[in-house]
Structures are given as structure tokens and as C-alpha cells.
Amino acid sequence: LHLYVNIEFTGTNTAFYDKFNIRYHIGELMEYLWNIPCHQNRWVEVSEATASGFYLQFLNMLVNDAIYLLDEALKKLPEIKETLAAMKEPE
């Protein structure tokens, strides 16, 4: 979880885009670990112990990333619709 948060502050010139790629893989790992009961219990312990600090920051970044990615995907829908329509047109 700390890596997910700390990747925000890498300072590289491509950090904005790099963080999504890195966070995707972190998310895959977290999803896998969530299915293991001892990890799930530990996650709950961390969330309760740091509810107003670190964990809240993690959740905020998680939600912000999801909103940004959803917004970007929705912006692409008209382009996808145009492409599908062009593909249906006979040559």
C-alpha cells in the first residue's frame, strides 16, 4: 500500500503516466493477496489503525485514479463509435 501511495512522488518527467502503469500491477497484486485470508485480515488491521492518515490517503489516490481513467475511457467512446461505423460501411 505504501508503494501505491509513494509512486505519486517519483519526480520523473513521465511520472504522471508511469504511475498508472505501476499502479495497475500493484493493483493486480493487491487483488491476488486479498483472496488470501491472512492478508485480508492484515489489510483490515492497517485500515483501522491508520484510518484518518495513510489509509485515507491511499483510498483517495485509488478513487482519484479510477475517476481519471474512467474519464479518459469515456472521452474515447465517440472515437470508438466512429471507428465502428466506418468499419460497417461498405468500401
Side-chain angles (χ1 to χ4, degrees), residues 4-5 7 10-12 18 21 23-24 33 39-40 42-43 45-46 48 50-52 65 73 76-77 79-80:
Y4 193 95
V5 171
I7 201 70
T10 61
T12 65
D18 291 345
N21 186 35
R23 284 182 177 168
Y24 169 78
L33 292 174
H39 287 283
Q40 197 174 60
R42 181 67 181 129
W43 191 315
E45 290 171 13
V46 168
E48 290 171 349
T50 62
S52 63
D65 287 354
K76 290 289 186 182
L77 284 179
E79 183 180 329
I80 293 169

mmCIF file with all atom_site columns, all heavy atoms in Angstrom, residues 4-5 7 10-12 18 21 23-24 33 39-40 42-43 45-46 48 50-52 65 73 76-77 79-80:
data_model
loop_
_atom_site.group_PDB
_atom_site.id
_atom_site.type_symbol
_atom_site.label_atom_id
_atom_site.label_alt_id
_atom_site.label_comp_id
_atom_site.label_asym_id
_atom_site.label_entity_id
_atom_site.label_seq_id
_atom_site.pdbx_PDB_ins_code
_atom_site.Cartn_x
_atom_site.Cartn_y
_atom_site.Cartn_z
_atom_site.occupancy
_atom_site.B_iso_or_equiv
_atom_site.pdbx_formal_charge
_atom_site.auth_seq_id
_atom_site.auth_comp_id
_atom_site.auth_asym_id
_atom_site.auth_atom_id
_atom_site.pdbx_PDB_model_num
ATOM 1   N N   . TYR A 1 4  ? 2.016   2.060   -3.475  1.00 0.00 ? 4  TYR A N   1
ATOM 2   C CA  . TYR A 1 4  ? 0.938   2.652   -4.266  1.00 0.00 ? 4  TYR A CA  1
ATOM 3   C C   . TYR A 1 4  ? 0.871   4.156   -4.029  1.00 0.00 ? 4  TYR A C   1
ATOM 4   O O   . TYR A 1 4  ? 0.692   4.939   -4.967  1.00 0.00 ? 4  TYR A O   1
ATOM 5   C CB  . TYR A 1 4  ? -0.404  2.002   -3.911  1.00 0.00 ? 4  TYR A CB  1
ATOM 6   C CG  . TYR A 1 4  ? -1.509  2.332   -4.879  1.00 0.00 ? 4  TYR A CG  1
ATOM 7   C CD1 . TYR A 1 4  ? -1.800  1.480   -5.928  1.00 0.00 ? 4  TYR A CD1 1
ATOM 8   C CD2 . TYR A 1 4  ? -2.270  3.496   -4.752  1.00 0.00 ? 4  TYR A CD2 1
ATOM 9   C CE1 . TYR A 1 4  ? -2.816  1.772   -6.828  1.00 0.00 ? 4  TYR A CE1 1
ATOM 10  C CE2 . TYR A 1 4  ? -3.284  3.795   -5.647  1.00 0.00 ? 4  TYR A CE2 1
ATOM 11  C CZ  . TYR A 1 4  ? -3.551  2.935   -6.679  1.00 0.00 ? 4  TYR A CZ  1
ATOM 12  O OH  . TYR A 1 4  ? -4.546  3.225   -7.579  1.00 0.00 ? 4  TYR A OH  1
ATOM 13  N N   . VAL A 1 5  ? 1.012   4.563   -2.785  1.00 0.00 ? 5  VAL A N   1
ATOM 14  C CA  . VAL A 1 5  ? 0.960   5.987   -2.430  1.00 0.00 ? 5  VAL A CA  1
ATOM 15  C C   . VAL A 1 5  ? 2.249   6.686   -2.836  1.00 0.00 ? 5  VAL A C   1
ATOM 16  O O   . VAL A 1 5  ? 2.231   7.759   -3.448  1.00 0.00 ? 5  VAL A O   1
ATOM 17  C CB  . VAL A 1 5  ? 0.695   6.164   -0.921  1.00 0.00 ? 5  VAL A CB  1
ATOM 18  C CG1 . VAL A 1 5  ? 0.852   7.612   -0.504  1.00 0.00 ? 5  VAL A CG1 1
ATOM 19  C CG2 . VAL A 1 5  ? -0.691  5.647   -0.566  1.00 0.00 ? 5  VAL A CG2 1
ATOM 20  N N   . ILE A 1 7  ? 4.448   6.106   -5.093  1.00 0.00 ? 7  ILE A N   1
ATOM 21  C CA  . ILE A 1 7  ? 4.743   6.220   -6.517  1.00 0.00 ? 7  ILE A CA  1
ATOM 22  C C   . ILE A 1 7  ? 4.277   7.565   -7.062  1.00 0.00 ? 7  ILE A C   1
ATOM 23  O O   . ILE A 1 7  ? 4.734   8.020   -8.105  1.00 0.00 ? 7  ILE A O   1
ATOM 24  C CB  . ILE A 1 7  ? 4.122   5.030   -7.307  1.00 0.00 ? 7  ILE A CB  1
ATOM 25  C CG1 . ILE A 1 7  ? 4.828   4.839   -8.640  1.00 0.00 ? 7  ILE A CG1 1
ATOM 26  C CG2 . ILE A 1 7  ? 2.645   5.242   -7.527  1.00 0.00 ? 7  ILE A CG2 1
ATOM 27  C CD1 . ILE A 1 7  ? 6.209   4.324   -8.515  1.00 0.00 ? 7  ILE A CD1 1
ATOM 28  N N   . THR A 1 10 ? 7.479   10.348  -7.536  1.00 0.00 ? 10 THR A N   1
ATOM 29  C CA  . THR A 1 10 ? 8.741   9.879   -8.105  1.00 0.00 ? 10 THR A CA  1
ATOM 30  C C   . THR A 1 10 ? 9.596   11.020  -8.632  1.00 0.00 ? 10 THR A C   1
ATOM 31  O O   . THR A 1 10 ? 10.808  10.927  -8.630  1.00 0.00 ? 10 THR A O   1
ATOM 32  C CB  . THR A 1 10 ? 8.506   8.880   -9.254  1.00 0.00 ? 10 THR A CB  1
ATOM 33  O OG1 . THR A 1 10 ? 7.776   9.539   -10.279 1.00 0.00 ? 10 THR A OG1 1
ATOM 34  C CG2 . THR A 1 10 ? 7.785   7.646   -8.773  1.00 0.00 ? 10 THR A CG2 1
ATOM 35  N N   . GLY A 1 11 ? 8.968   12.075  -9.128  1.00 0.00 ? 11 GLY A N   1
ATOM 36  C CA  . GLY A 1 11 ? 9.711   13.228  -9.603  1.00 0.00 ? 11 GLY A CA  1
ATOM 37  C C   . GLY A 1 11 ? 10.249  13.121  -11.017 1.00 0.00 ? 11 GLY A C   1
ATOM 38  O O   . GLY A 1 11 ? 10.905  14.038  -11.493 1.00 0.00 ? 11 GLY A O   1
ATOM 39  N N   . THR A 1 12 ? 9.971   12.036  -11.727 1.00 0.00 ? 12 THR A N   1
ATOM 40  C CA  . THR A 1 12 ? 10.454  11.923  -13.100 1.00 0.00 ? 12 THR A CA  1
ATOM 41  C C   . THR A 1 12 ? 9.544   12.711  -14.032 1.00 0.00 ? 12 THR A C   1
ATOM 42  O O   . THR A 1 12 ? 8.403   13.027  -13.688 1.00 0.00 ? 12 THR A O   1
ATOM 43  C CB  . THR A 1 12 ? 10.510  10.450  -13.554 1.00 0.00 ? 12 THR A CB  1
ATOM 44  O OG1 . THR A 1 12 ? 9.182   9.930   -13.577 1.00 0.00 ? 12 THR A OG1 1
ATOM 45  C CG2 . THR A 1 12 ? 11.391  9.624   -12.651 1.00 0.00 ? 12 THR A CG2 1
ATOM 46  N N   . ASP A 1 18 ? 3.624   7.046   -15.846 1.00 0.00 ? 18 ASP A N   1
ATOM 47  C CA  . ASP A 1 18 ? 4.278   5.869   -15.271 1.00 0.00 ? 18 ASP A CA  1
ATOM 48  C C   . ASP A 1 18 ? 3.509   5.324   -14.079 1.00 0.00 ? 18 ASP A C   1
ATOM 49  O O   . ASP A 1 18 ? 3.411   4.123   -13.895 1.00 0.00 ? 18 ASP A O   1
ATOM 50  C CB  . ASP A 1 18 ? 5.710   6.191   -14.840 1.00 0.00 ? 18 ASP A CB  1
ATOM 51  C CG  . ASP A 1 18 ? 6.627   6.441   -16.017 1.00 0.00 ? 18 ASP A CG  1
ATOM 52  O OD1 . ASP A 1 18 ? 6.248   6.087   -17.151 1.00 0.00 ? 18 ASP A OD1 1
ATOM 53  O OD2 . ASP A 1 18 ? 7.716   6.998   -15.793 1.00 0.00 ? 18 ASP A OD2 1
ATOM 54  N N   . ASN A 1 21 ? 0.745   2.820   -14.920 1.00 0.00 ? 21 ASN A N   1
ATOM 55  C CA  . ASN A 1 21 ? 1.269   1.514   -15.301 1.00 0.00 ? 21 ASN A CA  1
ATOM 56  C C   . ASN A 1 21 ? 1.728   0.738   -14.068 1.00 0.00 ? 21 ASN A C   1
ATOM 57  O O   . ASN A 1 21 ? 1.402   -0.439  -13.897 1.00 0.00 ? 21 ASN A O   1
ATOM 58  C CB  . ASN A 1 21 ? 2.425   1.684   -16.289 1.00 0.00 ? 21 ASN A CB  1
ATOM 59  C CG  . ASN A 1 21 ? 2.905   0.369   -16.830 1.00 0.00 ? 21 ASN A CG  1
ATOM 60  O OD1 . ASN A 1 21 ? 2.128   -0.554  -17.047 1.00 0.00 ? 21 ASN A OD1 1
ATOM 61  N ND2 . ASN A 1 21 ? 4.199   0.271   -17.038 1.00 0.00 ? 21 ASN A ND2 1
ATOM 62  N N   . ARG A 1 23 ? 0.858   1.318   -10.899 1.00 0.00 ? 23 ARG A N   1
ATOM 63  C CA  . ARG A 1 23 ? -0.278  1.064   -10.002 1.00 0.00 ? 23 ARG A CA  1
ATOM 64  C C   . ARG A 1 23 ? -1.174  -0.046  -10.523 1.00 0.00 ? 23 ARG A C   1
ATOM 65  O O   . ARG A 1 23 ? -1.816  -0.745  -9.741  1.00 0.00 ? 23 ARG A O   1
ATOM 66  C CB  . ARG A 1 23 ? -1.073  2.344   -9.781  1.00 0.00 ? 23 ARG A CB  1
ATOM 67  C CG  . ARG A 1 23 ? -0.374  3.279   -8.827  1.00 0.00 ? 23 ARG A CG  1
ATOM 68  C CD  . ARG A 1 23 ? -1.173  4.514   -8.582  1.00 0.00 ? 23 ARG A CD  1
ATOM 69  N NE  . ARG A 1 23 ? -0.517  5.366   -7.597  1.00 0.00 ? 23 ARG A NE  1
ATOM 70  C CZ  . ARG A 1 23 ? -0.874  6.599   -7.362  1.00 0.00 ? 23 ARG A CZ  1
ATOM 71  N NH1 . ARG A 1 23 ? -1.889  7.143   -7.995  1.00 0.00 ? 23 ARG A NH1 1
ATOM 72  N NH2 . ARG A 1 23 ? -0.232  7.308   -6.454  1.00 0.00 ? 23 ARG A NH2 1
ATOM 73  N N   . TYR A 1 24 ? -1.234  -0.222  -11.827 1.00 0.00 ? 24 TYR A N   1
ATOM 74  C CA  . TYR A 1 24 ? -2.003  -1.333  -12.377 1.00 0.00 ? 24 TYR A CA  1
ATOM 75  C C   . TYR A 1 24 ? -1.452  -2.657  -11.849 1.00 0.00 ? 24 TYR A C   1
ATOM 76  O O   . TYR A 1 24 ? -2.198  -3.514  -11.382 1.00 0.00 ? 24 TYR A O   1
ATOM 77  C CB  . TYR A 1 24 ? -1.969  -1.310  -13.910 1.00 0.00 ? 24 TYR A CB  1
ATOM 78  C CG  . TYR A 1 24 ? -2.522  -2.580  -14.505 1.00 0.00 ? 24 TYR A CG  1
ATOM 79  C CD1 . TYR A 1 24 ? -3.894  -2.784  -14.580 1.00 0.00 ? 24 TYR A CD1 1
ATOM 80  C CD2 . TYR A 1 24 ? -1.674  -3.599  -14.950 1.00 0.00 ? 24 TYR A CD2 1
ATOM 81  C CE1 . TYR A 1 24 ? -4.408  -3.958  -15.101 1.00 0.00 ? 24 TYR A CE1 1
ATOM 82  C CE2 . TYR A 1 24 ? -2.183  -4.770  -15.470 1.00 0.00 ? 24 TYR A CE2 1
ATOM 83  C CZ  . TYR A 1 24 ? -3.549  -4.947  -15.544 1.00 0.00 ? 24 TYR A CZ  1
ATOM 84  O OH  . TYR A 1 24 ? -4.060  -6.121  -16.039 1.00 0.00 ? 24 TYR A OH  1
ATOM 85  N N   . LEU A 1 33 ? -3.658  -10.868 -3.397  1.00 0.00 ? 33 LEU A N   1
ATOM 86  C CA  . LEU A 1 33 ? -3.447  -11.024 -1.956  1.00 0.00 ? 33 LEU A CA  1
ATOM 87  C C   . LEU A 1 33 ? -4.752  -10.940 -1.165  1.00 0.00 ? 33 LEU A C   1
ATOM 88  O O   . LEU A 1 33 ? -4.877  -11.549 -0.106  1.00 0.00 ? 33 LEU A O   1
ATOM 89  C CB  . LEU A 1 33 ? -2.456  -9.977  -1.448  1.00 0.00 ? 33 LEU A CB  1
ATOM 90  C CG  . LEU A 1 33 ? -1.016  -10.147 -1.933  1.00 0.00 ? 33 LEU A CG  1
ATOM 91  C CD1 . LEU A 1 33 ? -0.171  -8.966  -1.487  1.00 0.00 ? 33 LEU A CD1 1
ATOM 92  C CD2 . LEU A 1 33 ? -0.429  -11.454 -1.460  1.00 0.00 ? 33 LEU A CD2 1
ATOM 93  N N   . HIS A 1 39 ? -3.872  -12.144 4.599   1.00 0.00 ? 39 HIS A N   1
ATOM 94  C CA  . HIS A 1 39 ? -3.606  -10.823 4.020   1.00 0.00 ? 39 HIS A CA  1
ATOM 95  C C   . HIS A 1 39 ? -4.843  -9.931  4.146   1.00 0.00 ? 39 HIS A C   1
ATOM 96  O O   . HIS A 1 39 ? -4.736  -8.736  4.401   1.00 0.00 ? 39 HIS A O   1
ATOM 97  C CB  . HIS A 1 39 ? -3.191  -10.933 2.558   1.00 0.00 ? 39 HIS A CB  1
ATOM 98  C CG  . HIS A 1 39 ? -1.808  -11.456 2.382   1.00 0.00 ? 39 HIS A CG  1
ATOM 99  N ND1 . HIS A 1 39 ? -0.695  -10.682 2.579   1.00 0.00 ? 39 HIS A ND1 1
ATOM 100 C CD2 . HIS A 1 39 ? -1.356  -12.684 2.038   1.00 0.00 ? 39 HIS A CD2 1
ATOM 101 C CE1 . HIS A 1 39 ? 0.382   -11.406 2.353   1.00 0.00 ? 39 HIS A CE1 1
ATOM 102 N NE2 . HIS A 1 39 ? 0.008   -12.631 2.033   1.00 0.00 ? 39 HIS A NE2 1
ATOM 103 N N   . GLN A 1 40 ? -5.993  -10.527 3.960   1.00 0.00 ? 40 GLN A N   1
ATOM 104 C CA  . GLN A 1 40 ? -7.237  -9.776  4.096   1.00 0.00 ? 40 GLN A CA  1
ATOM 105 C C   . GLN A 1 40 ? -7.384  -9.246  5.525   1.00 0.00 ? 40 GLN A C   1
ATOM 106 O O   . GLN A 1 40 ? -7.727  -8.076  5.726   1.00 0.00 ? 40 GLN A O   1
ATOM 107 C CB  . GLN A 1 40 ? -8.414  -10.677 3.734   1.00 0.00 ? 40 GLN A CB  1
ATOM 108 C CG  . GLN A 1 40 ? -9.692  -9.948  3.445   1.00 0.00 ? 40 GLN A CG  1
ATOM 109 C CD  . GLN A 1 40 ? -10.751 -10.914 2.969   1.00 0.00 ? 40 GLN A CD  1
ATOM 110 O OE1 . GLN A 1 40 ? -11.113 -11.837 3.692   1.00 0.00 ? 40 GLN A OE1 1
ATOM 111 N NE2 . GLN A 1 40 ? -11.244 -10.697 1.765   1.00 0.00 ? 40 GLN A NE2 1
ATOM 112 N N   . ARG A 1 42 ? -4.969  -8.660  7.640   1.00 0.00 ? 42 ARG A N   1
ATOM 113 C CA  . ARG A 1 42 ? -3.943  -7.634  7.868   1.00 0.00 ? 42 ARG A CA  1
ATOM 114 C C   . ARG A 1 42 ? -4.354  -6.311  7.229   1.00 0.00 ? 42 ARG A C   1
ATOM 115 O O   . ARG A 1 42 ? -4.134  -5.247  7.779   1.00 0.00 ? 42 ARG A O   1
ATOM 116 C CB  . ARG A 1 42 ? -2.597  -8.110  7.311   1.00 0.00 ? 42 ARG A CB  1
ATOM 117 C CG  . ARG A 1 42 ? -1.485  -7.140  7.531   1.00 0.00 ? 42 ARG A CG  1
ATOM 118 C CD  . ARG A 1 42 ? -1.151  -7.000  9.024   1.00 0.00 ? 42 ARG A CD  1
ATOM 119 N NE  . ARG A 1 42 ? -0.090  -6.040  9.157   1.00 0.00 ? 42 ARG A NE  1
ATOM 120 C CZ  . ARG A 1 42 ? -0.125  -4.995  9.973   1.00 0.00 ? 42 ARG A CZ  1
ATOM 121 N NH1 . ARG A 1 42 ? -1.159  -4.805  10.775  1.00 0.00 ? 42 ARG A NH1 1
ATOM 122 N NH2 . ARG A 1 42 ? 0.874   -4.151  10.020  1.00 0.00 ? 42 ARG A NH2 1
ATOM 123 N N   . TRP A 1 43 ? -4.966  -6.380  6.054   1.00 0.00 ? 43 TRP A N   1
ATOM 124 C CA  . TRP A 1 43 ? -5.430  -5.180  5.367   1.00 0.00 ? 43 TRP A CA  1
ATOM 125 C C   . TRP A 1 43 ? -6.456  -4.457  6.247   1.00 0.00 ? 43 TRP A C   1
ATOM 126 O O   . TRP A 1 43 ? -6.422  -3.230  6.380   1.00 0.00 ? 43 TRP A O   1
ATOM 127 C CB  . TRP A 1 43 ? -6.044  -5.563  4.045   1.00 0.00 ? 43 TRP A CB  1
ATOM 128 C CG  . TRP A 1 43 ? -6.345  -4.422  3.110   1.00 0.00 ? 43 TRP A CG  1
ATOM 129 C CD1 . TRP A 1 43 ? -6.947  -3.234  3.428   1.00 0.00 ? 43 TRP A CD1 1
ATOM 130 C CD2 . TRP A 1 43 ? -6.075  -4.354  1.728   1.00 0.00 ? 43 TRP A CD2 1
ATOM 131 N NE1 . TRP A 1 43 ? -7.064  -2.460  2.318   1.00 0.00 ? 43 TRP A NE1 1
ATOM 132 C CE2 . TRP A 1 43 ? -6.539  -3.124  1.257   1.00 0.00 ? 43 TRP A CE2 1
ATOM 133 C CE3 . TRP A 1 43 ? -5.501  -5.242  0.830   1.00 0.00 ? 43 TRP A CE3 1
ATOM 134 C CZ2 . TRP A 1 43 ? -6.445  -2.743  -0.074  1.00 0.00 ? 43 TRP A CZ2 1
ATOM 135 C CZ3 . TRP A 1 43 ? -5.402  -4.852  -0.486  1.00 0.00 ? 43 TRP A CZ3 1
ATOM 136 C CH2 . TRP A 1 43 ? -5.866  -3.627  -0.933  1.00 0.00 ? 43 TRP A CH2 1
ATOM 137 N N   . GLU A 1 45 ? -6.678  -4.645  9.499   1.00 0.00 ? 45 GLU A N   1
ATOM 138 C CA  . GLU A 1 45 ? -5.942  -4.081  10.637  1.00 0.00 ? 45 GLU A CA  1
ATOM 139 C C   . GLU A 1 45 ? -5.268  -2.764  10.261  1.00 0.00 ? 45 GLU A C   1
ATOM 140 O O   . GLU A 1 45 ? -5.328  -1.792  11.016  1.00 0.00 ? 45 GLU A O   1
ATOM 141 C CB  . GLU A 1 45 ? -4.885  -5.071  11.131  1.00 0.00 ? 45 GLU A CB  1
ATOM 142 C CG  . GLU A 1 45 ? -5.436  -6.297  11.805  1.00 0.00 ? 45 GLU A CG  1
ATOM 143 C CD  . GLU A 1 45 ? -4.368  -7.348  12.087  1.00 0.00 ? 45 GLU A CD  1
ATOM 144 O OE1 . GLU A 1 45 ? -3.165  -7.021  11.980  1.00 0.00 ? 45 GLU A OE1 1
ATOM 145 O OE2 . GLU A 1 45 ? -4.738  -8.492  12.393  1.00 0.00 ? 45 GLU A OE2 1
ATOM 146 N N   . VAL A 1 46 ? -4.646  -2.723  9.112   1.00 0.00 ? 46 VAL A N   1
ATOM 147 C CA  . VAL A 1 46 ? -3.982  -1.494  8.654   1.00 0.00 ? 46 VAL A CA  1
ATOM 148 C C   . VAL A 1 46 ? -5.004  -0.390  8.446   1.00 0.00 ? 46 VAL A C   1
ATOM 149 O O   . VAL A 1 46 ? -4.778  0.758   8.836   1.00 0.00 ? 46 VAL A O   1
ATOM 150 C CB  . VAL A 1 46 ? -3.175  -1.749  7.362   1.00 0.00 ? 46 VAL A CB  1
ATOM 151 C CG1 . VAL A 1 46 ? -2.722  -0.448  6.731   1.00 0.00 ? 46 VAL A CG1 1
ATOM 152 C CG2 . VAL A 1 46 ? -1.993  -2.647  7.644   1.00 0.00 ? 46 VAL A CG2 1
ATOM 153 N N   . GLU A 1 48 ? -7.877  0.032   9.892   1.00 0.00 ? 48 GLU A N   1
ATOM 154 C CA  . GLU A 1 48 ? -8.392  0.508   11.178  1.00 0.00 ? 48 GLU A CA  1
ATOM 155 C C   . GLU A 1 48 ? -7.348  1.317   11.941  1.00 0.00 ? 48 GLU A C   1
ATOM 156 O O   . GLU A 1 48 ? -7.665  2.310   12.590  1.00 0.00 ? 48 GLU A O   1
ATOM 157 C CB  . GLU A 1 48 ? -8.871  -0.675  12.017  1.00 0.00 ? 48 GLU A CB  1
ATOM 158 C CG  . GLU A 1 48 ? -10.125 -1.321  11.458  1.00 0.00 ? 48 GLU A CG  1
ATOM 159 C CD  . GLU A 1 48 ? -10.482 -2.620  12.146  1.00 0.00 ? 48 GLU A CD  1
ATOM 160 O OE1 . GLU A 1 48 ? -9.660  -3.158  12.929  1.00 0.00 ? 48 GLU A OE1 1
ATOM 161 O OE2 . GLU A 1 48 ? -11.596 -3.128  11.896  1.00 0.00 ? 48 GLU A OE2 1
ATOM 162 N N   . THR A 1 50 ? -4.854  3.107   10.683  1.00 0.00 ? 50 THR A N   1
ATOM 163 C CA  . THR A 1 50 ? -4.436  4.354   10.032  1.00 0.00 ? 50 THR A CA  1
ATOM 164 C C   . THR A 1 50 ? -5.588  5.000   9.274   1.00 0.00 ? 50 THR A C   1
ATOM 165 O O   . THR A 1 50 ? -5.368  5.666   8.255   1.00 0.00 ? 50 THR A O   1
ATOM 166 C CB  . THR A 1 50 ? -3.269  4.088   9.067   1.00 0.00 ? 50 THR A CB  1
ATOM 167 O OG1 . THR A 1 50 ? -3.719  3.195   8.049   1.00 0.00 ? 50 THR A OG1 1
ATOM 168 C CG2 . THR A 1 50 ? -2.075  3.511   9.771   1.00 0.00 ? 50 THR A CG2 1
ATOM 169 N N   . ALA A 1 51 ? -6.792  4.841   9.779   1.00 0.00 ? 51 ALA A N   1
ATOM 170 C CA  . ALA A 1 51 ? -7.988  5.280   9.054   1.00 0.00 ? 51 ALA A CA  1
ATOM 171 C C   . ALA A 1 51 ? -7.978  6.757   8.690   1.00 0.00 ? 51 ALA A C   1
ATOM 172 O O   . ALA A 1 51 ? -8.455  7.145   7.629   1.00 0.00 ? 51 ALA A O   1
ATOM 173 C CB  . ALA A 1 51 ? -9.230  4.949   9.863   1.00 0.00 ? 51 ALA A CB  1
ATOM 174 N N   . SER A 1 52 ? -7.448  7.602   9.537   1.00 0.00 ? 52 SER A N   1
ATOM 175 C CA  . SER A 1 52 ? -7.500  9.033   9.239   1.00 0.00 ? 52 SER A CA  1
ATOM 176 C C   . SER A 1 52 ? -6.225  9.557   8.594   1.00 0.00 ? 52 SER A C   1
ATOM 177 O O   . SER A 1 52 ? -6.137  10.722  8.254   1.00 0.00 ? 52 SER A O   1
ATOM 178 C CB  . SER A 1 52 ? -7.772  9.821   10.524  1.00 0.00 ? 52 SER A CB  1
ATOM 179 O OG  . SER A 1 52 ? -6.706  9.639   11.431  1.00 0.00 ? 52 SER A OG  1
ATOM 180 N N   . ASP A 1 65 ? -7.545  7.944   -9.144  1.00 0.00 ? 65 ASP A N   1
ATOM 181 C CA  . ASP A 1 65 ? -7.055  7.224   -10.321 1.00 0.00 ? 65 ASP A CA  1
ATOM 182 C C   . ASP A 1 65 ? -8.209  6.597   -11.091 1.00 0.00 ? 65 ASP A C   1
ATOM 183 O O   . ASP A 1 65 ? -8.247  6.652   -12.326 1.00 0.00 ? 65 ASP A O   1
ATOM 184 C CB  . ASP A 1 65 ? -6.054  6.143   -9.926  1.00 0.00 ? 65 ASP A CB  1
ATOM 185 C CG  . ASP A 1 65 ? -4.706  6.693   -9.502  1.00 0.00 ? 65 ASP A CG  1
ATOM 186 O OD1 . ASP A 1 65 ? -4.499  7.920   -9.612  1.00 0.00 ? 65 ASP A OD1 1
ATOM 187 O OD2 . ASP A 1 65 ? -3.856  5.895   -9.064  1.00 0.00 ? 65 ASP A OD2 1
ATOM 188 N N   . ALA A 1 73 ? -11.481 6.995   -20.546 1.00 0.00 ? 73 ALA A N   1
ATOM 189 C CA  . ALA A 1 73 ? -12.173 5.970   -21.331 1.00 0.00 ? 73 ALA A CA  1
ATOM 190 C C   . ALA A 1 73 ? -13.448 6.526   -21.951 1.00 0.00 ? 73 ALA A C   1
ATOM 191 O O   . ALA A 1 73 ? -13.742 6.258   -23.126 1.00 0.00 ? 73 ALA A O   1
ATOM 192 C CB  . ALA A 1 73 ? -12.491 4.765   -20.453 1.00 0.00 ? 73 ALA A CB  1
ATOM 193 N N   . LYS A 1 76 ? -12.977 8.516   -25.064 1.00 0.00 ? 76 LYS A N   1
ATOM 194 C CA  . LYS A 1 76 ? -12.644 7.727   -26.248 1.00 0.00 ? 76 LYS A CA  1
ATOM 195 C C   . LYS A 1 76 ? -13.873 7.090   -26.907 1.00 0.00 ? 76 LYS A C   1
ATOM 196 O O   . LYS A 1 76 ? -13.793 6.614   -28.032 1.00 0.00 ? 76 LYS A O   1
ATOM 197 C CB  . LYS A 1 76 ? -11.640 6.618   -25.896 1.00 0.00 ? 76 LYS A CB  1
ATOM 198 C CG  . LYS A 1 76 ? -10.261 7.115   -25.580 1.00 0.00 ? 76 LYS A CG  1
ATOM 199 C CD  . LYS A 1 76 ? -9.598  7.605   -26.837 1.00 0.00 ? 76 LYS A CD  1
ATOM 200 C CE  . LYS A 1 76 ? -8.151  7.977   -26.576 1.00 0.00 ? 76 LYS A CE  1
ATOM 201 N NZ  . LYS A 1 76 ? -7.521  8.494   -27.788 1.00 0.00 ? 76 LYS A NZ  1
ATOM 202 N N   . LEU A 1 77 ? -14.993 7.059   -26.221 1.00 0.00 ? 77 LEU A N   1
ATOM 203 C CA  . LEU A 1 77 ? -16.183 6.394   -26.769 1.00 0.00 ? 77 LEU A CA  1
ATOM 204 C C   . LEU A 1 77 ? -16.635 6.963   -28.112 1.00 0.00 ? 77 LEU A C   1
ATOM 205 O O   . LEU A 1 77 ? -16.960 6.186   -29.021 1.00 0.00 ? 77 LEU A O   1
ATOM 206 C CB  . LEU A 1 77 ? -17.323 6.414   -25.752 1.00 0.00 ? 77 LEU A CB  1
ATOM 207 C CG  . LEU A 1 77 ? -17.188 5.415   -24.613 1.00 0.00 ? 77 LEU A CG  1
ATOM 208 C CD1 . LEU A 1 77 ? -18.361 5.547   -23.656 1.00 0.00 ? 77 LEU A CD1 1
ATOM 209 C CD2 . LEU A 1 77 ? -17.073 3.996   -25.125 1.00 0.00 ? 77 LEU A CD2 1
ATOM 210 N N   . GLU A 1 79 ? -14.835 8.278   -30.448 1.00 0.00 ? 79 GLU A N   1
ATOM 211 C CA  . GLU A 1 79 ? -13.854 7.802   -31.424 1.00 0.00 ? 79 GLU A CA  1
ATOM 212 C C   . GLU A 1 79 ? -14.097 6.327   -31.761 1.00 0.00 ? 79 GLU A C   1
ATOM 213 O O   . GLU A 1 79 ? -14.031 5.919   -32.920 1.00 0.00 ? 79 GLU A O   1
ATOM 214 C CB  . GLU A 1 79 ? -12.442 7.991   -30.872 1.00 0.00 ? 79 GLU A CB  1
ATOM 215 C CG  . GLU A 1 79 ? -11.348 7.612   -31.819 1.00 0.00 ? 79 GLU A CG  1
ATOM 216 C CD  . GLU A 1 79 ? -9.965  7.813   -31.205 1.00 0.00 ? 79 GLU A CD  1
ATOM 217 O OE1 . GLU A 1 79 ? -9.783  8.719   -30.375 1.00 0.00 ? 79 GLU A OE1 1
ATOM 218 O OE2 . GLU A 1 79 ? -9.074  7.025   -31.580 1.00 0.00 ? 79 GLU A OE2 1
ATOM 219 N N   . ILE A 1 80 ? -14.406 5.546   -30.748 1.00 0.00 ? 80 ILE A N   1
ATOM 220 C CA  . ILE A 1 80 ? -14.700 4.127   -30.958 1.00 0.00 ? 80 ILE A CA  1
ATOM 221 C C   . ILE A 1 80 ? -15.962 3.976   -31.802 1.00 0.00 ? 80 ILE A C   1
ATOM 222 O O   . ILE A 1 80 ? -16.020 3.161   -32.729 1.00 0.00 ? 80 ILE A O   1
ATOM 223 C CB  . ILE A 1 80 ? -14.847 3.386   -29.610 1.00 0.00 ? 80 ILE A CB  1
ATOM 224 C CG1 . ILE A 1 80 ? -13.494 3.348   -28.891 1.00 0.00 ? 80 ILE A CG1 1
ATOM 225 C CG2 . ILE A 1 80 ? -15.413 1.993   -29.799 1.00 0.00 ? 80 ILE A CG2 1
ATOM 226 C CD1 . ILE A 1 80 ? -13.573 2.882   -27.455 1.00 0.00 ? 80 ILE A CD1 1
#
